[in-house]
Amino acid sequence: MKEAVLDLATQNLERKGFLDLEIDPTLDLFEEINRLKKEKNAIILAHYYQEPDIQDIADYIGDSLGLSQEAARTEADIIVFAGVHFMAETAKMLSPGKKVLLPDLKAGCSLADSAPAPLFRAFKERYPNHVVVSYINCTAELKTLTDICCTSTNAVHVIESIPEDQPIIFAPDKNLGAYLVKKTGRDMVLWNGACMVHEIFSAEKITKLMLRHPEAELIAHPECEAHILEKAHFIGSTTGLLKYTMRSSAKEFIVATESGIIHQMEKASPDKVFIPAPPDNTCACNECPHMRLNTLEKLYLCLKYEKPEILLPDWVIEQGRTCIDRMLDISARAGL
Ligand code: 13P
Ligand code: SF4
């Protein structure tokens, strides 16, 4: 068996106690983070699902495509990735010469976890003539088994770039996969993975909410299940959803994705109302437990001590990068 891509257990052990370091309560963390950023020529890239304070201090906030493009083009020496593990790994593959830090190494992803590389390798062998398209929400090792990567912004372009008679395996998100089958008319073999946050929405509660807010538009991320997407006025990536709320004449939106994005929606359209889509349980929140492991305190410690760092074996960077480069080429040609 090939060497493990990233030995999380070892890395966590190495930094055991690191998160317990006391931070002087009188410190202005915003000021300190900004000072350290300048001193170390570091850049903070943050996903929209991060807590508002992290979004506010980030140099760049974006969806998975935007974050990858930024990681590829930055001239900073250090990339602090305020997001989850697969995003920081992607940044490392795109900028292998740079130090890539993740404030909490345990910030994983249920979708990436749903496709372990050894199982996927065996699955792929059952479909020998297929091209593999993987959603970027997968491990670096899965990317080494992938022909073209995609994000929710460019997935349709990626599928349409493949000749019509070429069979395709799509992994790991079965919901995004089913949405793409419908949208492109391509009959793809789907891996059975899903995101825990986007699978939690209750269609029944959303319907009731829509009845109570008849003017509101339901906007949804394509990681949601088909019965939620069927009701949506608009489907798109996080950036797609944000831009839609800015151009739509609607004044109220029911937002079926992780609630962190609402911070930017409210900033961009302070006169509009954003209601998080209700989940199918008693929990009142739609927060990704992985994304939310990062905090401003951990961000500060990470920048100060330059730990924990994302390290990948050379073979993973070499073999895994090709599918990301292909995705970036297709996106550039499509003007995305
Ligand atoms: P995008 O921001 O690319 O839409 O992806 C959403 C997501 O689930 C990231 O984990
Ligand atoms: Fe993964 Fe879902 Fe969290 Fe995104 S929201 S990081 S897909 S678990």
Side-chain angles (χ1 to χ4, degrees):
M1 226 175 86
K2 293 195 171 178
E3 68 184 295
V5 167
L6 186 72
D7 187 345
L8 275 181
T10 310
Q11 293 206 24
N12 281 333
L13 207 65
E14 184 201 309
R15 61 192 283 272
K16 207 172 175 206
F18 170 66
L19 294 179
D20 301 330
L21 286 177
E22 298 237 334
I23 299 176
D24 176 354
T26 63
L27 267 190
D28 179 334
L29 288 183
F30 277 86
E31 212 175 280
E32 278 304 297
I33 290 171
N34 280 325
R35 184 184 63 76
L36 288 166
K37 247 176 19 182
K38 269 197 207 114
E39 188 183 298
K40 295 171 185 253
N41 188 27
I43 185 173
I44 299 176
L45 306 183
H47 189 265
Y48 294 117
Y49 297 165
Q50 293 294 286
E51 62 172 47
D53 277 352
I54 295 183
Q55 293 189 36
D56 289 344
I57 203 156
D59 297 289
Y60 178 87
I61 320 165
D63 65 2
S64 307
L65 176 63
L67 289 164
S68 307
Q69 289 167 330
E70 203 58 33
R73 78 167 75 100
T74 182
E75 290 187 355
D77 295 316
I78 297 178
I79 299 174
V80 182
F81 214 111
V84 290
H85 203 268
F86 76 82
M87 294 179 168
E89 280 183 336
T90 305
K92 183 67 185 174
M93 285 191 271
L94 287 166
S95 286
K98 297 186 191 304
K99 191 176 255 190
V100 177
L101 308 171
L102 182 65
D104 191 323
L105 263 193
K106 282 180 264 154
C109 168
S110 63
L111 190 46
D113 289 348
S114 69
L119 288 185
F120 185 76
R121 189 178 287 113
F123 177 80
K124 186 179 160 174
E125 276 163 14
R126 285 166 40 204
Y127 302 95
N129 301 318
H130 288 56
V131 154
V132 176
V133 177
S134 294
Y135 190 32
I136 200 163
N137 300 33
C138 65
T139 63
E141 197 172 357
L142 203 91
K143 288 183 176 79
T144 66
L145 302 169
T146 296
D147 296 296
I148 318 178
C149 227
C150 74
T151 73
S152 41
T153 295
N154 56 31
V156 169
H157 294 89
V158 167
I159 301 298
E160 286 178 346
S161 74
I162 300 168
E164 274 185 33
D165 56 350
Q166 170 62 58
I168 302 170
I169 295 174
F170 186 83
D173 189 357
K174 64 174 180 196
N175 293 321
L176 175 61
Y179 169 73
L180 292 169
V181 167
K182 204 170 161 194
K183 192 100 182 149
T184 63
R186 298 292 288 268
D187 185 21
M188 304 189 288
V189 176
L190 305 182
W191 177 265
N192 187 17
C195 158
M196 62 192 288
V197 177
H198 290 88
E199 280 222 313
I200 212 169
F201 298 116
S202 159
E204 198 186 320
K205 288 186 192 169
I206 289 176
T207 305
K208 284 185 186 155
L209 199 55
M210 288 169 90
L211 287 171
R212 285 209 305 279
H213 298 264
E215 305 294 317
E217 289 191 335
L218 172 68
I219 56 171
H221 194 280
E223 286 174 30
C224 293
E225 292 171 294
H227 64 279
I228 304 290
L229 296 180
E230 273 161 21
K231 297 175 184 297
H233 294 84
F234 181 79
I235 298 167
S237 72
T238 47
T239 297
L241 296 176
L242 173 61
K243 286 187 178 161
Y244 179 75
T245 60
M246 290 158 78
R247 68 174 183 269
S248 167
S249 57
K251 291 283 173 208
E252 270 188 299
F253 299 88
I254 298 167
V255 184
T257 191
E258 213 268 7
S259 55
I261 183 76
I262 291 178
H263 182 56
Q264 293 304 322
M265 290 175 174
E266 287 175 338
K267 275 173 104 168
S269 308
D271 56 324
K272 298 184 180 179
V273 174
F274 301 95
I275 309 163
D280 196 10
N281 58 22
T282 47
C283 162
C285 62
N286 303 322
E287 293 178 359
C288 170
H290 306 288
M291 286 275 182
R292 303 300 180 122
L293 280 177
N294 296 323
T295 60
L296 201 61
E297 287 75 15
K298 290 180 194 171
L299 185 63
Y300 162 71
L301 289 172
C302 162
L303 201 45
K304 181 167 175 174
Y305 296 103
E306 300 183 20
K307 276 182 178 189
E309 184 178 357
I310 297 291
L311 299 168
L312 291 170
D314 290 344
W315 72 266
V316 171
I317 295 179
E318 277 155 30
Q319 292 176 34
R321 185 178 166 144
T322 316
C323 69
I324 308 171
D325 284 339
R326 286 188 186 129
M327 171 191 85
L328 293 177
D329 280 352
I330 293 167
S331 302
R333 271 186 267 127
L336 298 172

